Amino acid sequence: MHLQPIAQRALLAAFHSPGHALRRARGGFTTPPATIKTSGTADVQVFTRRAVNWLDNAGLVEFDDPQYPSVVRLNARGERYAEQLLADNGKTVGA
């Protein structure tokens, strides 16, 4: 299976987030920031619904609500694919 690069980044972002999930925010789906402050801004990567749909079409995620999702979570297949991507990237980095 081959995913678009942005879909791969979304997959890996979800894999590294709590609960292996992306949450809907202003502008798209994102991971919560590592540290939460009571004020100020946070820089996070946001993924469009199109990128998340690529993951859905590949059978790697599940929506909490198919029509109006607020959370998209990796399923077992998505977790395995993310682990494989990380392993493959580890092999190419040291080569």
Side-chain angles (χ1 to χ4, degrees):
M1 168 183 1
H2 178 72
L3 290 175
Q4 297 287 334
I6 191 71
Q8 288 182 6
R9 288 195 298 274
L11 178 79
L12 293 175
F15 184 74
H16 290 297
S17 71
H20 299 303
L22 298 174
R23 300 194 183 290
R24 183 175 287 260
R26 181 180 293 172
F29 289 87
T30 188
T31 60
T35 57
I36 298 181
K37 299 178 182 179
T38 56
S39 63
T41 61
D43 292 326
V44 293
Q45 189 169 9
V46 177
F47 302 98
T48 63
R49 176 67 190 254
R50 177 178 284 186
V52 171
N53 283 345
W54 287 333
L55 298 176
D56 184 40
N57 291 340
L60 302 174
V61 296
E62 296 173 2
F63 293 112
D64 63 338
D65 180 337
Q67 284 193 309
Y68 303 105
S70 59
V71 177
V72 60
R73 190 174 318 280
L74 295 183
N75 58 26
R77 185 173 179 215
E79 290 178 26
R80 285 192 305 272
Y81 191 71
E83 289 169 349
Q84 180 183 354
L85 280 176
L86 290 170
D88 290 347
N89 286 339
K91 290 176 188 173
T92 58
V93 170

